[in-house]
Structure formats: C-alpha cells, structure tokens
C-alpha cells in the first residue's frame, strides 16, 4: 500500500522535469506581466470534485504549470511594488524542497534539524546583541510572532497561573502607535485582552509614535486604575516605512516597567546593513522582537521569527510543565527544551532550513547590501517623483517605501489600472485621509530601470485616464 513511486525511473524523470520547470518559472516569473487576472475558465476549474482515483504525477505537474503557476500575485517580479513582500530566491525554494524531503517535525526530539533552528536562534541573538538567555523560534509570520509576544508579556505581567485562571479582573493596557500594523490589534483580540486594551497613540510629523502623547496616556491610565504592561514600537511601518524612536521608547518602557516589544517585520533586518543599522538603533534594548524572513531576507513564504530577551518568561508562557519535566535525558525524546515549549504548535515544519540556506549561501554582508540597495532605489524614486511636475511626493522615504500621487487623479483607481496593465504593481494606502500610490521596494531583483518603468507607467496611465474623463 506504499505511496512511494512504482516506477522509480519514470518518477525520477518527471521529478527532474518538475525541478527544471520550477527554475524556469522563477526566471519567467521575473519577466512578462507582473500580474494578470486569471481567466474565468481557470478559476472555474478549481470547482472540480474531489478525485476518487489518482492520475500520474506528471499529469498533475503539467496541470499545475498550466493553471496555477501563471496566476500568482507576481511578487517574484522586479516591478512588483505592492505592500511589503519578498521576492524569494531559487536557493530558498530548493531548501524548502530539501526540508520536505526530510519530513522533519521540529516540535522537538534529538535530531539535527532542531540544531539548525537552534543555530538560527543563536544567529538572531548575535544580530540583535541579545544575551545568552534569550530564546527564539521560527514561526510563519510576524502576525503570529506579535501575537505570541503579547501572550508572553501578558503571562509575565499576570504570572504563569494566569494560563489556568485567565485574565480575572486584571485591567491590563498596552500602547502602540496609530501606524502600527493591524495584526497588533488582532493580537489583543486573540489573547482575550480585547483590542480596547490597546491604546493607539498618535504619530508625530515623521509618522513615529508621539512620545509626549504616550506619556500622557500612560499617566491617565494609571490614574484611572488601569495597569499598563506593554509598549509596542514599530521598526518600519507598513504604510511609509517609519521607525519609532526605539532607544527613547526602550528607556520609557524601563521607567514605566512595561514590556517593550518591537514589531520589526521588515525594518528589523536593517541591522544587516552597516549603512542602515543606525536607523533602528535601540532595537537591541527590546524585550522581544518580531520580524519576517520572507520580506527583506527574500526567504520564500513563509518564515518569520520571535526573539525574546527573557527566555524563561518565553518558556513559562507556553511550556506545559508536566511534559517538560518528564522529558527524557537520553534517546530520541531527549534534547530539552523543545521548540514546542516556546510556541503554540506541537508539530512544526522545517522552516528554519530555508532561512539557514539563505544565510549560509549569501552571507549577511550580501543580504545587507541587497537591503541597502532597495533603500537607495526608494530615494531614487522619490527624486524622480520630485522632478515630475504632475507628481507629488507625499512623504520622504525613511527606508524602502515611497508614497506619492498624481495631482488631480484618484490614486486608488489609478493603482488598480496599473496592476491590471501588468506593467507594474504598486499598491495604494491612505495617508492623512488621502489615497496615495505606495511603492514598497523589497525585491532583490529590482533595478533603476524598474523604477523608471514605474514612473513612466504612472504618467502614462494617469494621462490616459484624464482624457477618458
Ligand atoms: C508585514 C507586516 C506584518 C505582518 O507580517 P506577516 O509576516 O505578513 O504576518 C506586521 N507588521 C509589519 C510592520 C509588517 O510590515
């Protein structure tokens, strides 16, 4: 009844062809249209019923290449500027395949894959100058990492018995800026604290959390009988790439005895570039940092990380004490602590391998250079916008995000037209209530020519829209 291939030679031929097609796909996915809407018959084809009988792997693979591969969101493409998404690499894709071949379950146990993830933890400590006692874990995304950080901070504030007793009548409150990612709010919903326990502090003129407003709100909350327990700063806001004043926030958090968490989804990895690292100075003072490998590090989706200064607090928030104490000291079930003691999942895939391959293959110097290059291109784009009389720069790029608009043209509609043209794919957002074109430069493949293509497409489509009105 085994599911292994019956005809090994035939399967290998199909497997090698699939690998070649994947590599070809990465090349072709970086050319041609950035995105195209899938035809109705393709979309409809996914309504086919559950297969009772199988068919040859080669048929299924051919189907994948016809119906799935051509219709992705386009984030491998150098002219994809939408949201903040990584471009992926062939190296990362191969690592993902090798990880699947091992079928390793990284919940724990005495095995080399666990050591690979532990090495990622050590490297993360080094990058952010965290102490030896700091813990970390590879997770699916910064959304999950932020959620886990809120749970750890809450458990630290209320004590581990709160895991059994719940929130009781604790009146915990936390602080973040209005520019924080909406997953932070969701973290408060999911942990049972409620999103009203998250105070949204206004931003200053540079889109950073306004510290005076923060201090005032904390004082008001204390006076009203609330218990402030957490402060969440952002390194690289999703709208404009702003970085909160992390050193000052860290000091304030220490003074007020708040857990200081940094959502550094993409911005945290500015530490890889000597040129950009000063922009996130103070991040090394955080109690915890959440960041993505799948954005600026170009690791294929999905992979992110949670780093926690107080490893004990981290473990106390997730480990189940009974299981923890009964772990074997020898044999396959040895190797305490297990990764399952640091997160909500028991079975876990080997996401760490594609991170490991990425770091080992490219090295942090080169990865830092690709990150710095995206910021240089963002400054170049801002410069180009300033030179076009029809365009208006809405905010200076602090990292790799540029927001601008075409005067007199509604940005939301223009962005849809740009996406539908297949030429370039920015996204839109609202800044101070006004819709703007947002270009996030994340992809390691993006060049100056792609920036020029974006400017030209915006000018051309905005003008053609003008004449249609
Ligand atoms: C992308 C992003 C997130 C969410 O991260 P995921 O990996 O998509 O879950 C959170 N915060 C910021 C600032 C982001 O840019």
């Amino acid at each position: 009844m085994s599911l292994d291939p019956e005809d090994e030679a035939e399967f290998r031929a199909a497997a090698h062809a699939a690998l070649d097609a994947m590599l070809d796909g990465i090349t072709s996915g970086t050319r041609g249209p950035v995105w195209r809407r899938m035809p109705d018959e393709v979309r409809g084809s996914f309504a086919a019923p559950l297969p009772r009988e199988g068919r040859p792997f080669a048929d299924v693979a051919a189907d994948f290449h016809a119906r799935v591969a051509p219709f992705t969101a386009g984030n491998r493409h150098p002219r994809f500027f939408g949201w903040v998404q990584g471009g992926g690499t062939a190296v990362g894709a191969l690592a993902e395949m090798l990880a699947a071949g091992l079928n390793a379950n990284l919940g724990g146990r005495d095995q080399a894959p666990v050591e690979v993830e532990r090495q990622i933890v050590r490297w993360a400590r080094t990058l952010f100058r965290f102490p030896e006692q700091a813990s970390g874990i590879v997770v699916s995304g910064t959304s999950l990492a932020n959620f886990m950080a809120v749970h750890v901070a809450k458990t630290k504030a209320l004590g581990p018995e709160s895991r059994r007793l719940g929130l009781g009548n604790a009146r915990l409150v936390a602080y973040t800026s209005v520019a924080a990612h909406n997953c932070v709010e969701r973290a408060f919903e999911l942990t049972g604290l409620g999103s009203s326990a998250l105070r949204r502090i206004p931003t200053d003129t540079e889109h950073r959390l306004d510290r005076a407003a923060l201090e005032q709100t904390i004082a008001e909350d204390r006076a009203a009988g609330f218990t402030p327990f957490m402060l969440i700063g952002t390194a690289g806001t999703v709208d404009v790439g702003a970085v909160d004043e992390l050193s000052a926030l860290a000091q304030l958090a220490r003074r007020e005895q708040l857990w200081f968490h940094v959502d550094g989804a993409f911005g945290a990895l500015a530490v890889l570039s000597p040129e950009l690292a000063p922009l996130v100075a103070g991040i090394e003072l955080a109690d915890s940092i959440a960041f993505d490998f799948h954005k600026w590090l170009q690791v294929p989706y999905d992979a992110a990380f949670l780093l926690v200064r107080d490893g004990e607090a981290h473990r106390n928030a997730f480990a189940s004490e009974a299981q923890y104490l009964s772990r074997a000291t020898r044999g396959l079930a040895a190797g305490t602590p297990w990764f399952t003691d640091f997160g909500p999942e028991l079975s876990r895939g080997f996401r760490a391998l594609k991170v490991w391959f990425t770091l080992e293959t490219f090295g942090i110097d080169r990865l830092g250079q690709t990150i710095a290059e995206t910021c240089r291109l963002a400054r170049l784009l801002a410069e180009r916008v300033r030179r076009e009389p029809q365009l208006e720069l809405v905010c200076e790029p602090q990292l790799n995000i540029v927001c601008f608009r075409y005067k007199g043209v509604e940005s939301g509609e223009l962005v849809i037209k740009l996406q539908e043209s297949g030429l370039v794919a920015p996204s839109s957002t609202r800044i101070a209530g006004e819709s703007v074109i947002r270009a996030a430069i994340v992809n390691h493949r993006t060049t100056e020519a792609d920036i020029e293509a974006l400017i030209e497409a915006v000018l051309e489509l905005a003008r053609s829209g003008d004449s249609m009105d």
Side-chain angles (χ1 to χ4, degrees):
M1 291 312 289
S2 162
L3 300 176
D4 288 329
E6 276 162 37
D7 184 333
E8 179 79 19
E10 187 192 352
F11 184 77
R12 268 180 197 252
H16 287 289
L19 176 60
D20 279 334
M22 180 190 85
L23 296 173
D24 290 344
I26 292 176
T27 309
S28 63
T30 61
R31 300 190 190 131
V34 181
W35 176 78
R36 53 191 164 133
R37 209 185 148 270
M38 79 186 86
D40 290 341
E41 71 265 24
V42 172
R43 198 184 301 275
S45 71
F46 294 104
L50 191 58
R52 183 116 237 156
E53 274 174 31
R55 55 196 170 115
F57 168 78
D59 280 11
V60 181
D63 212 10
F64 162 79
H65 290 295
R67 296 196 286 129
V68 181
F71 306 109
T72 61
N75 54 311
R76 290 181 299 186
H77 199 291
R79 295 183 183 180
F80 181 94
F81 302 104
W83 303 276
V84 178
Q85 297 195 18
T89 65
V91 164
L94 286 166
E96 184 85 309
M97 188 187 77
L98 296 174
L102 294 182
N103 192 31
N105 180 342
L106 283 263
R109 299 180 183 84
D110 193 0
Q111 52 171 332
V114 165
E115 295 304 329
V116 169
E117 186 159 345
R118 287 189 177 142
Q119 188 166 27
I120 304 292
V121 175
R122 282 184 208 106
W123 287 344
R125 275 189 207 123
T126 307
L127 275 180
F128 294 101
R129 294 190 268 147
F130 266 44
E132 192 72 4
Q133 314 83 274
S135 54
I137 183 167
V138 175
V139 295
S140 56
T142 292
S143 301
L144 183 63
N146 281 338
F147 164 65
M148 288 162 62
V150 173
H151 173 67
V152 175
K154 175 195 79 170
T155 308
K156 171 91 178 177
L158 297 177
E161 60 288 0
S162 65
R163 289 175 54 188
R164 191 165 53 87
L165 300 174
L167 296 174
N169 40 26
R171 297 177 74 198
L172 296 182
V173 286
Y175 307 87
T176 198
S177 97
V178 290
H181 195 276
N182 81 326
C183 68
V184 175
E185 193 166 292
R186 269 199 291 165
F188 279 77
E189 294 168 8
L190 294 171
T191 49
L193 288 158
S195 55
S196 67
L198 179 67
R199 312 294 202 220
R200 307 294 295 254
I201 308 297
T203 46
D204 63 16
T205 52
E206 287 174 74
H207 305 269
R208 304 175 305 189
L209 189 147
D210 181 332
R211 281 189 286 135
L214 170 63
E215 286 185 281
Q216 191 189 334
T217 311
I218 294 174
E220 285 167 7
D221 277 335
R222 289 205 196 279
F226 290 101
T227 307
F229 81 107
M230 188 177 196
L231 170 61
I232 299 163
T234 306
T237 59
V238 69
D239 273 354
V240 304
V243 181
D244 286 336
E245 297 166 287
L246 302 177
S247 295
L249 292 186
Q251 280 167 28
L252 195 150
R254 185 162 311 155
R255 214 165 48 235
E256 297 279 353
Q257 299 193 315
L258 308 178
W259 182 284
F260 181 42
H261 174 71
V262 175
D263 173 355
F266 64 98
L269 286 176
V271 296
L272 292 179
S273 157
E275 176 192 332
L276 300 177
L279 296 174
V280 294
I283 197 167
E284 71 286 352
L285 303 171
D287 291 302
S288 52
I289 307 173
F291 62 96
D292 281 320
F293 292 119
H294 54 218
K295 288 177 177 166
W296 250 354
L297 209 69
Q298 319 292 339
V299 170
Y301 282 87
D302 49 18
F305 200 77
L306 174 65
L307 181 64
V308 180
R309 177 177 303 279
D310 178 351
E312 195 66 15
H314 187 181
R315 196 172 57 83
N316 284 340
F318 291 105
S320 134
E321 214 55 26
Q323 265 174 24
Y324 186 69
L325 293 174
S326 67
R327 291 272 162 71
T329 52
R330 284 173 47 225
L332 188 48
T336 306
W338 289 12
F339 277 105
T340 188
D341 299 328
F342 294 93
E345 298 163 320
L346 173 56
S347 295
R348 308 173 57 248
F350 196 4
R351 288 192 179 99
L353 191 65
K354 56 194 172 183
V355 180
W356 193 79
F357 261 86
T358 299
L359 291 166
E360 289 277 8
T361 305
F362 302 113
I364 58 169
D365 289 348
R366 185 159 164 211
L367 292 165
Q369 282 158 15
T370 64
I371 288 172
E373 174 66 4
T374 62
C375 295
R376 186 187 73 84
L377 291 172
R379 291 192 297 272
L380 183 83
L381 174 58
E383 214 30 66
R384 280 296 283 113
V385 167
R386 261 194 290 264
R387 272 197 272 131
E388 293 296 335
Q390 286 309 312
L391 301 181
E392 181 193 342
L393 188 66
V394 177
C395 46
E396 287 295 329
Q398 296 188 34
L399 292 170
N400 59 334
I401 299 177
V402 182
C403 293
F404 61 103
R405 47 186 219 97
Y406 188 100
K407 292 174 191 161
V409 173
E410 210 282 307
S411 298
E413 180 59 26
L414 177 55
V415 161
I416 292 173
K417 278 191 203 157
L418 288 163
Q419 293 168 352
E420 286 175 341
S421 75
L423 296 171
V424 293
S427 51
S428 59
T429 189
R430 299 193 86 79
I431 305 281
E434 205 187 337
S435 167
V436 299
I437 304 166
R438 175 186 44 187
I441 301 152
V442 190
N443 197 314
H444 57 102
R445 302 180 180 102
T446 304
T447 64
E448 291 188 11
D450 301 313
I451 299 298
E452 200 50 43
L454 172 62
I455 291 283
E456 274 163 26
V458 168
L459 294 177
E460 195 182 310
L461 268 82
R463 279 174 198 144
S464 70
D466 277 352
S467 59
M468 271 158 48
D469 291 343

